[in-house]
Amino acid sequence: MSTLSVYRLKQWLKNGESPLATRLFHIAKAIRHFELPTPHILNKLFYGLHKTIITQWQAFTHLVFYVPAFKGRLNSYGKRTLLYGGLPFFSGPLAMTIGNDCRISGQTTFSGRTNSDNPTLTVGDNVDICWQTTIAVGNKVVIGDNVRIAGQGFLCGYPGHPIDPTERARGKADLDSQVGDIILEKDVWLGSRVSIIGNVTVGEGTIVASGSVVTKSLPPFVLAGGNPAKVIKPLDISSSITTSSTNKEEVNYEA
């Protein structure tokens, strides 16, 4: 039976006004929605078995395949690397290094600009890079120790296309003037869906609110947000940082 014939049969069963079509439609629907009358305790047993099998399989593939394959793409790496959800996607001539205790989602993308000499991504210790994050390296991206990048983050060190529409239509690459470095100093926290363009430094300990677009550098120890991102307020760090009052540096919190 052809695909068209099957489609017409389904439409006749679903929309037909004859008693036969209605009866057959209800029978087909009952068959489709048939359920085994399993007791709740058995349902819980099945779910527990499912979770056990999935968890053990993920742990096995993580140990014997994903982490070794991931390290095979890196220039250098530290200890206790944790991947979850598979293997990240790499594009372009990217040189990448990571430190110790990094946790990286397998649903991430790391790319290096083809026209750059040696695009380099440097990741420090104890860094989280969460799911569906994209890091596009023009020349250099540096992620400091203890940085947290929540889901769907976007670090855009190069745009990939020129500004001129004629050149863009011809498939030309972006210009060197459109490329910029991105530096996340230690203890930075980027909320979900934060985008950062090139030539931006986010200062130590700064938190960027979800959905923000960072187009200019941000000072340390502030809460920033918006599109474009601006300083909202300074963060109270007196309880976590002990600095002598005689040598404490003044922080400019002006937007």
Side-chain angles (χ1 to χ4, degrees), residues 51-65:
K51 290 295 295 183
T52 299
I53 293 174
I54 294 299
T55 300
Q56 294 304 315
W57 175 251
Q58 289 175 343
F60 175 75
T61 54
H62 173 270
L63 177 65
V64 304
F65 181 75

Side-chain angles (χ1 to χ4, degrees), residues 5-161:
S5 298
V6 172
Y7 174 77
R8 288 176 175 173
L9 176 61
K10 289 181 178 180
Q11 292 302 309
W12 177 74
L13 290 174
K14 186 175 181 180
N15 302 317
E17 298 181 357
S18 68
L20 177 60
T22 302
R23 181 58 178 167
L24 291 176
F25 176 75
H26 286 301
I27 292 175
K29 189 174 181 180
I31 294 175
R32 182 178 181 182
H33 294 279
F34 175 75
E35 295 182 356
L36 292 173
T38 53
H40 185 61
I41 185 64
L42 186 58
N43 296 337
K44 293 178 69 68
L45 177 64
F46 284 152
Y47 180 76
L49 181 62
H50 164 77
K51 290 295 295 183
T52 299
I53 293 174
I54 294 299
T55 300
Q56 294 304 315
W57 175 251
Q58 289 175 343
F60 175 75
T61 54
H62 173 270
L63 177 65
V64 304
F65 181 75
Y66 288 125
V67 171
F70 179 62
K71 289 180 176 179
R73 181 57 179 78
L74 303 178
N75 290 64
S76 66
Y77 47 85
K79 300 177 180 178
R80 297 175 296 277
T81 301
L82 176 63
L83 290 179
Y84 55 95
L87 188 67
F89 176 75
F90 283 87
S91 174
L94 179 65
M96 180 175 176
T97 65
I98 66 173
N100 299 317
D101 302 297
C102 290
R103 296 163 295 279
I104 301 173
S105 170
Q107 297 180 7
T108 52
T109 297
F110 302 110
S111 70
R113 181 173 179 257
T114 303
N115 292 346
S116 295
D117 292 335
N118 186 33
T120 303
L121 171 59
T122 304
V123 180
D125 296 332
N126 189 31
V127 171
D128 283 352
I129 302 177
C130 292
W131 70 290
Q132 292 186 350
T133 289
T134 296
I135 301 178
V137 182
N139 292 318
K140 179 178 68 174
V141 171
V142 178
I143 300 175
D145 296 343
N146 310 317
V147 166
R148 300 292 183 264
I149 302 177
Q152 297 182 322
F154 184 30
L155 276 58
C156 182
Y158 70 99
H161 302 285

Side-chain angles (χ1 to χ4, degrees), residues 1 36 58 68 94 112 121 128 182 186 188 200 217 220 232:
M1 183 179 294
L36 292 173
Q58 289 175 343
L94 179 65
L121 171 59
D128 283 352
I182 297 174
K186 68 177 184 178
V188 164
V200 163
S217 295
I232 298 173

